[in-house]
Amino acid sequence: MTQAPEPSPEDELRLAFGRAIGFTVAALGLLLGGGVLLILLAAIFFRFMFGG
């Protein structure tokens, strides 16, 4: 069996930046999506609470 060639430092750096950017985008998406969901749930809750 042959081993896969070792990635160059440039490839490793590109992969690290890609993972960091991906994690940041995912975290922002979850935070913003959670915030929107919370606002919608609060609107529904207060509508029933105050008979709107």
Side-chain angles (χ1 to χ4, degrees), residues 3-52:
Q3 288 186 341
E6 218 172 287
S8 68
E10 187 178 312
D11 290 337
E12 288 182 7
L13 190 61
R14 187 180 302 125
L15 186 61
F17 274 118
R19 285 181 180 168
I21 290 170
F23 177 79
T24 303
V25 168
L28 285 173
L30 288 172
L31 283 172
L32 293 175
V36 169
L37 183 64
L38 184 64
I39 290 170
L40 291 174
L41 287 175
I44 292 169
F45 175 75
F46 285 118
R47 180 176 177 185
F48 285 121
M49 194 166 125
F50 294 120

